[in-house]
Amino acid sequence: MENLIALLVAAPLLGAAVLLCGGRALDRAGHWLGTLLAAASFVIAVVLFTDMLGKGAEERTLSQHLFSWIPVEGFQADVAFQLDQLSMTFVLLISGVGTLIHVYSIGYMEHDERRRRFFGYLNLFLAAMLLLVLADNYLLLYVGWEGVGLASYLLIGFWQHKPSAATAAKKAFLVNRVGDVGLSIAIMLMFTTFGTFAFGPVLEATGQTSEGKLTAIGLMLLLAACGKSAQVPLQSWLGDAMEGPTPVSALIHAATMVTAGVYLIVRSGAIFNGAPDAQLVVTIVGAVTLLFGAIVGCAKDDIKKALAGSTMSQIGYMILAAGLGPIGYVFAIMHLVTHGFFKAGLFLGAGSVMHGMNDEVDMRKYGGLRKYMPVTFVTFGLGYLAIIGFPGLSGFFSKDKIIEAAFAKGGTEGWLLGSVALLGAAITAYYMTRVMIMTFFGDKRWQPDADGHAPHPHESPKSMTIPMIVLAFGSVFAGGFFSIGDRFMHWLEPVTRHDHGNSPLSAATVTGATMVVLVIGVALAYVQYGRRPVPVTAPRGSLLTRAARRDLLQDDFNHVVLVRGGEHLTRSLVYVDHSLVDGVVNGTAASMGGLSGRLRKLQNGYARSYAVSMFGGAAVLIAATLLMRAV
Amino acid sequence: MNPVNYLYLAALLFAIGATGVLIRRNAIVVFMCIELMLNACNLAFVAFSRMHGNLDGQIIAFFTMVVAAAEVVVGLAIIVSLFRSRHSASVDDASLMKL
């Protein structure tokens, strides 16, 4: 069974290699090949999963050693895989949702002449992401980490003829790089502290390590997670990343890649457990991002950007849960999986709407689409109910658990985090209702596009609707399935451990409070957008709305502090370079030049002056000889 | 007579020759001054030979004369061709390695 693990990565990697190197000959069948290999990966994952279920809880971890990557004395890097319950969960999510999105892309990218390349990139992404979650050491994880970053860059900038897409790709790449520096520093710290970076030895050795070192490693890992998972302060790239094709937004920037940060923190749980300060920072980052993303999501008129704000916010929930330690790890991953279903579904729904509306993304120009796109409406609607936490649907179970866990943290901290999580739930209900109403209800506010074509909304082809339906099933039933009998908790417990904490509030109280804020959020949105007609041009809005439209001034902040600061820094460095470094070099050269100019004058060609120096020299020699004799 | 006086004379002659080499511009005069210095040396050699009672100094004086004779041949030839090309026998005019 172990030997199958490498195939999980190899199948999509083969697809990427064939599709990207194959040339135009594959244009006609390339998308089928890509989808087939993604599906192959999923089938292998299911085989491994059933095999795993047949074993006892503690014997489920499989490992496969492929080869020794860097065999140096004292530095042993292996290409080796480890498949435990946590990796298995991710593998199923990635290959499953990945396959669905491959199928969806067949329809969505039908008219794109670079479709083969698109599927090649998607396969590359799957391979890198699977490598990330299957690696058994941090260095190999880093390879996958960079690989998904590359795939994300290529796919955001897939429509490279649009300057906005090219810029967004560059922005995502650069911001991610900041986080990646954190990961590489963390790995270096691990190596100096533990002498290795394989998961097993590192995580076992945390007990004998000083808290300071663990905190340093934890904070660096958090920086990495912030970059990849678009958490404050490295969140600015996610909104722009929506320039990529919608399946990419669904797969990479909603369901899988952006959750890699959560995986990293949960995987490194032992490190964080030993560093309460780092955990506190993690929860703060999660709580801040949770509100940040939600507020941004409320103000955006671009449907994909509103969903991107929501993604940020939901990942904030996961990071918050992961920062709670053993109380929250399981729920972070559970929310991650359910979020993978409903957010991918919502994005695919948004893509389907755009597909029918001449690629219009402004929700103010939608309205009343429920009659024209019934399947999209129903699947999007179920995703909507799931994300706001409607009782019985996926989000209800997973988000409720996180809010409970936040309270269970105990003390003032617990109260604060719990309240923030509750507030976030209210805002989530608000902005998602807003999206729902503006898109599917109300008057038709359709506008002809730039070429004057009036939109003719229509249902998307089967290849697009079927993945949406499957994801909608996941959005509805996954949460309940995981929660009944605490199935998910028992499944993950051997890897992440679990601690119930002691909540000051009973589970029923928390659920009740969540329901109350949910109703308030929905009602507010209904009053604002359902009862009154939605203006086609956005009203000026309050100060907060305007700030939120500009992503709460994140880009302005980055511009003023980082770009301007960087410019000033480089300018002063250039000045120092010119005046000091060049000054020394040029000064040396000038003085040498002056000196040689003077020396040159000695070579004047007059025989008599040479004779003088000869006599002078002889005189000095004789004088010196005499002097030495006298002494 | 005390042979040391010959040495004084040699030193005086050498000094006159050296001064002439340094301050005179005419190549012929400079040339003659060089000869003067050579002969001052010869005088010193012979004086030393006498003082030390062996013939080494006198033999070297002969060698010097032979070399000086050869040098006169080459030196005069140079001066003549210099004069032909520059119409001047001044050593300062010949300060460049080209015409």
Side-chain angles (χ1 to χ4, degrees):
Chain A
M1 269 302 153
E2 296 89 39
N3 299 334
L4 285 178
I5 301 177
L7 283 181
L8 283 171
V9 181
L13 195 62
L14 174 76
V18 170
L19 289 176
L20 294 177
C21 304
R24 287 174 190 280
L26 289 169
D27 269 355
R28 291 179 61 193
H31 48 286
W32 292 112
L33 179 69
T35 313
L36 197 70
L37 285 167
S41 203
F42 180 61
V43 171
I44 299 167
V46 171
V47 169
L48 285 165
F49 178 61
T50 39
D51 177 63
M52 196 181 259
L53 282 181
K55 295 184 189 166
E58 297 291 340
E59 293 127 35
R60 285 178 171 166
T61 305
L62 292 177
S63 54
Q64 180 184 13
H65 184 273
L66 265 194
F67 57 90
S68 213
W69 179 18
I70 309 175
V72 180
E73 184 69 39
F75 182 97
Q76 192 68 32
D78 292 331
V79 174
F81 300 124
Q82 170 190 323
L83 185 72
D84 57 9
Q85 289 91 327
L86 180 62
S87 305
M88 192 71 240
T89 312
F90 270 88
V91 167
L92 284 173
L93 176 75
I94 295 161
S95 57
V97 176
T99 307
L100 287 176
I101 284 170
H102 273 76
V103 174
Y104 179 90
S105 304
I106 294 175
Y108 191 83
M109 301 299 282
E110 195 173 1
H111 305 295
D112 198 297
E113 57 189 25
R114 291 163 72 233
R115 179 161 67 164
R116 171 182 56 85
R117 189 179 292 264
F118 181 79
F119 276 83
Y121 291 156
L122 275 189
N123 272 3
L124 176 68
F125 168 76
L126 277 191
M129 189 73 203
L130 288 168
L131 183 66
L132 196 164
V133 297
L134 284 170
D136 93 328
N137 61 67
Y138 282 96
L139 201 64
L140 192 60
L141 178 145
Y142 192 51
V143 175
W145 189 270
E146 293 296 309
V148 291
L150 169 69
S152 158
Y153 166 78
L154 291 170
L155 286 165
I156 295 171
F158 184 72
W159 286 321
Q160 58 205 188
H161 52 89
K162 285 199 296 185
S164 56
T167 318
K170 239 182 280 173
K171 184 174 179 186
F173 198 77
L174 286 175
V175 177
N176 265 296
R177 191 91 304 111
V178 179
D180 296 346
V181 170
L183 184 53
S184 62
I185 294 176
I187 294 175
M188 292 177 212
L189 281 175
M190 275 174 208
F191 187 70
T192 55
T193 313
F194 307 109
T196 176
F197 32 68
F199 288 151
V202 167
L203 300 178
E204 269 163 31
T206 49
Q208 299 99 45
T209 314
S210 73
E211 198 184 314
K213 278 184 180 164
L214 290 181
T215 309
I217 297 175
L219 289 178
M220 284 299 120
L221 289 173
L222 174 66
L223 179 65
C226 282
K228 199 56 90 195
S229 295
Q231 301 294 296
V232 174
L234 297 177
Q235 81 292 20
S236 63
W237 63 274
L238 188 62
D240 291 338
M242 297 299 127
E243 287 291 342
T246 308
V248 173
S249 311
L251 177 61
I252 301 186
H253 305 120
T256 55
M257 185 193 83
V258 286
T259 58
V262 183
Y263 171 77
L264 185 67
I265 293 179
V266 173
R267 175 58 83 194
S268 317
I271 294 176
F272 284 94
N273 292 345
D277 293 338
Q279 278 187 323
L280 180 66
V281 180
V282 175
T283 50
I284 292 172
V285 165
V288 169
T289 313
L290 187 168
L291 290 180
F292 191 105
I295 293 171
V296 169
C298 291
K300 290 285 183 185
D301 289 329
D302 179 327
I303 185 169
K304 285 178 73 182
K305 290 197 172 165
L307 290 176
S310 155
T311 303
M312 219 184 269
S313 164
Q314 298 301 316
I315 296 172
Y317 270 108
M318 299 168 208
I319 296 275
L320 168 64
L324 295 172
I327 311 175
Y329 291 141
V330 171
F331 303 130
I333 300 298
M334 185 162 132
H335 192 54
L336 193 156
V337 175
T338 56
H339 175 257
F341 284 120
F342 58 68
K343 188 50 68 65
L346 287 169
F347 264 109
L348 294 190
S352 172
V353 169
M354 285 160 58
H355 196 70
M357 291 292 285
N358 295 348
D359 284 330
E360 178 62 65
V361 290
D362 189 349
M363 291 189 291
R364 293 187 182 276
K365 296 172 185 165
Y366 292 167
L369 290 176
R370 68 181 182 283
K371 284 179 211 142
Y372 300 88
M373 303 178 170
V375 179
T376 307
F377 169 63
V378 171
T379 53
F380 196 94
L382 289 172
Y384 156 75
L385 290 176
I387 191 174
I388 65 171
F390 191 80
L393 275 70
S394 285
F396 168 75
F397 292 103
S398 52
K399 200 189 288 178
D400 205 47
K401 290 281 187 200
I402 292 182
I403 299 173
E404 252 175 64
F407 279 115
K409 173 84 177 171
T412 333
E413 224 179 293
W415 281 103
L416 272 175
L417 293 174
S419 320
V420 167
L422 262 184
L423 180 61
I427 308 180
T428 306
Y430 173 81
Y431 67 71
M432 282 314 298
T433 311
R434 174 175 176 271
V435 168
M436 196 70 197
I437 292 175
M438 284 173 87
T439 307
F440 292 104
F441 295 91
D443 315 322
K444 300 173 192 169
R445 301 178 300 274
W446 309 342
Q447 309 282 324
D449 65 7
D451 301 329
H453 300 299
H456 297 286
H458 52 271
E459 193 50 86
S460 301
K462 284 248 162 39
S463 63
M464 288 167 71
T465 49
I466 289 172
M468 285 154 59
I469 294 168
V470 175
L471 287 171
F473 265 98
S475 317
V476 175
F477 298 112
F481 178 77
F482 291 159
S483 292
I484 292 166
D486 286 336
R487 276 201 192 111
F488 199 76
M489 192 189 294
H490 295 312
W491 161 252
L492 268 189
E493 212 178 348
V495 184
T496 60
R497 306 294 157 205
H498 186 69
D499 176 6
H500 286 284
N502 43 356
S503 179
L505 302 171
S506 70
T509 322
V510 174
T511 311
T514 316
M515 285 306 109
V516 171
V517 297
L518 165 68
V519 171
I520 293 174
V522 172
L524 268 178
Y526 177 70
V527 169
Q528 211 172 343
Y529 295 96
R531 298 263 299 272
R532 283 179 250 158
V534 180
V536 176
T537 45
R540 197 170 139 78
S542 66
L543 206 61
L544 182 64
T545 313
R546 271 178 283 154
R549 275 192 199 130
R550 293 178 66 98
D551 299 313
L552 289 180
L553 307 180
Q554 57 188 19
D555 286 335
D556 306 72
F557 175 81
N558 287 351
H559 187 74
V560 170
V561 175
L562 299 176
V563 179
R564 288 273 176 75
E567 276 173 358
H568 283 301
L569 185 67
T570 48
R571 244 180 251 151
S572 49
L573 282 179
V574 167
Y575 176 76
V576 169
D577 187 40
H578 277 177
S579 55
L580 192 69
V581 178
D582 284 8
V584 169
V585 174
N586 291 342
T588 311
S591 56
M592 280 296 153
L595 193 63
S596 55
R598 263 169 222 133
L599 276 176
R600 185 175 61 80
K601 295 213 172 109
L602 290 178
Q603 300 280 336
N604 53 10
Y606 295 113
R608 293 185 303 135
S609 81
Y610 297 151
V612 170
S613 36
M614 225 170 91
F615 280 116
V620 168
L621 275 179
I622 290 168
T625 315
L626 289 180
L627 207 66
M628 291 308 287
R629 281 217 180 153
V631 176
Chain B
M1 197 171 147
N2 190 353
V4 176
N5 289 337
Y6 289 101
L7 291 183
Y8 289 139
L9 177 64
L12 185 68
L13 287 174
F14 189 88
I16 294 170
T19 316
V21 169
L22 293 183
I23 63 175
R24 295 306 295 264
R25 289 198 177 82
N26 191 313
I28 303 285
V29 178
V30 170
F31 198 68
M32 290 196 313
C33 288
I34 291 172
E35 292 299 316
L36 193 59
M37 283 155 72
L38 281 170
N39 284 313
C41 293
N42 278 347
L43 187 57
F45 274 128
V46 175
F48 280 128
S49 174
R50 183 76 182 204
M51 282 161 74
H52 295 300
N54 64 18
L55 292 175
D56 293 0
Q58 299 192 23
I59 290 165
I60 290 176
F62 274 116
F63 277 112
T64 314
M65 280 178 203
V66 175
V67 172
E71 181 235 326
V72 166
V73 175
V74 178
L76 277 177
I78 291 173
I79 291 170
V80 168
S81 65
L82 203 65
F83 183 79
R84 277 193 185 148
S85 63
R86 292 181 198 271
H87 305 290
S88 146
S90 166
V91 286
D92 284 0
D93 284 350
S95 68
L96 298 175
M97 292 181 102
K98 59 181 182 182
L99 286 174

